[in-house]
Structure formats: C-alpha cells, structure tokens
Amino acid sequence: KQAIESRLIALGRAHDLLMQARWSSASLAGVVRGATEPYDGLDGGRFLIEGPEIAIGSGAVIAMAMTFNELCTNATKFGALSVPSGCVEIAWTIDAERLRLSWTEIGGPEVHAPSRKSFGTRMVDRLGKQLNGEVLLDYQTSGFVYTLDVPLISLKSQG
C-alpha cells in the first residue's frame, strides 16, 4: 500500500510540474528536485544535483519522475539514504544527440545485488527503455549506481 501511495504522489508532483508549463514541457532539474525533495530530510543537502538546463516533454517528465521516486524509495530502504551520512549524486551531461544521466549513492551501507528483480527495479528499467534509452543498474559494493543514456529526441514533446 505504501509503495503504491508513494508512486501516486510522485505522479501527482509530475502532473503539477506539467500543469505549470501547460502540459508542454518541464525542466529536468525541476523534475529531479521535485522527486527528491520529500527524501532530502530536515537539513537538506543529501542530494547533489548537477547538470545543464534542458526542457523535457510530458511523457519524459512522467517517466523520469516515476524513476526518481523509485530510486529514492530504494535508497531510503536499502541504500545511501538509509543512513544519516549517506547522500546521492545526480548528474547529467548533454551532447548533440544524447543525455547521459547518473544516480550515484555515496556513504551508504555495503551494496549487494539482489537475488531477484523487484517490481520497482523492473519498472525503472522499463521506464528508461520507454524513452528509447539504455539503462544500467550497477550494484557496486561502495554504492548503487543507476545510469540512463537516452536520445535527446526521446525527451522532447511529441506533438
């Protein structure tokens, strides 16, 4: 029940961003901040967010918001956000044709790859592929790393 509620709240925040932009596009940085804010704790500063400004279309906004919500939920349960000293670095770069984004957990407990793929893990993978992107889930001992490499054309508004 809690997982479903969390996903619905993330979807609601994504819709709020799109309504502010009349359902055309939203800033990727705004999507990231909107998704991570509820998980940032009282003092803030648990997320290091860095990347150039880019507007993404409504379909990409929903996919990215849902992805970040799932990553935040998992980091809170099992990863860097489950301990007071942990943080997450979210960074992206843009070249002529692609956006490359990474989520890197730092200072959390030792990471082990799960024995099976959960619904959330499958969803994160599927959402990246929905954007014609390549998704990499890397369970490094020092911290979980999610990487998305997606064509810029897949992030733009369709219509």
Side-chain angles (χ1 to χ4, degrees), residues 137-158:
L137 307 177
D138 189 3
Y139 298 91
Q140 297 179 12
T141 306
S142 60
F144 174 74
V145 178
Y146 162 87
T147 307
L148 175 67
D149 184 339
V150 63
L152 288 176
I153 193 77
S154 296
L155 300 174
K156 302 298 179 184
S157 291
Q158 306 297 317

Side-chain angles (χ1 to χ4, degrees), residues 3 6 13 27 40 63 68 73 76 78-79 85 91-92 98-99 102 108 112 115 128 136 147 149:
S6 174
R13 283 193 300 269
S27 155
D40 208 10
F68 284 115
T73 300
T76 301
F78 313 111
S85 61
W92 61 92
R98 302 190 78 79
L99 171 109
S102 64
H112 303 282
S115 57
L136 175 64
T147 307
D149 184 339

Side-chain angles (χ1 to χ4, degrees), residues 11 14-15 17-19 21-31 53-66 99 127 130-131 150-159:
L11 192 57
H15 279 111
L17 279 172
L18 289 170
M19 286 185 63
R22 295 197 170 113
W23 281 90
S24 61
S25 65
S27 155
L28 175 57
V31 172
E53 189 57 44
I54 181 171
I56 60 175
S58 58
V61 167
I62 300 298
M64 297 296 260
M66 297 301 289
L99 171 109
L127 289 167
Q130 176 183 313
L131 297 172
V150 63
L152 288 176
I153 193 77
S154 296
L155 300 174
K156 302 298 179 184
S157 291
Q158 306 297 317

Side-chain angles (χ1 to χ4, degrees), residues 16-155:
D16 288 346
L17 279 172
L18 289 170
M19 286 185 63
Q20 292 170 11
R22 295 197 170 113
W23 281 90
S24 61
S25 65
S27 155
L28 175 57
V31 172
V32 171
R33 285 188 190 94
T36 58
E37 183 181 42
Y39 299 91
D40 208 10
L42 299 174
D43 300 330
R46 299 202 65 191
F47 291 91
L48 309 166
I49 301 168
E50 185 177 335
E53 189 57 44
I54 181 171
I56 60 175
S58 58
V61 167
I62 300 298
M64 297 296 260
M66 297 301 289
T67 296
F68 284 115
N69 179 72
E70 195 61 37
L71 293 171
C72 286
T73 300
N74 288 341
T76 301
K77 288 181 187 177
F78 313 111
L81 300 180
S82 70
V83 297
S85 61
C87 67
V88 177
E89 182 179 285
I90 302 167
W92 61 92
T93 59
I94 300 169
D95 66 22
E97 297 180 13
R98 302 190 78 79
L99 171 109
R100 289 174 182 86
L101 180 141
S102 64
W103 161 288
T104 305
E105 296 185 26
I106 303 163
E110 189 173 303
V111 173
H112 303 282
S115 57
R116 64 175 187 84
K117 279 192 171 185
S118 67
F119 171 79
T121 302
R122 288 191 309 269
M123 182 177 77
V124 165
D125 185 54
R126 197 84 183 122
L127 289 167
K129 289 182 176 152
Q130 176 183 313
L131 297 172
N132 299 311
E134 298 171 24
V135 174
L136 175 64
L137 307 177
D138 189 3
Y139 298 91
Q140 297 179 12
T141 306
S142 60
F144 174 74
V145 178
Y146 162 87
T147 307
L148 175 67
D149 184 339
V150 63
L152 288 176
I153 193 77
S154 296
L155 300 174

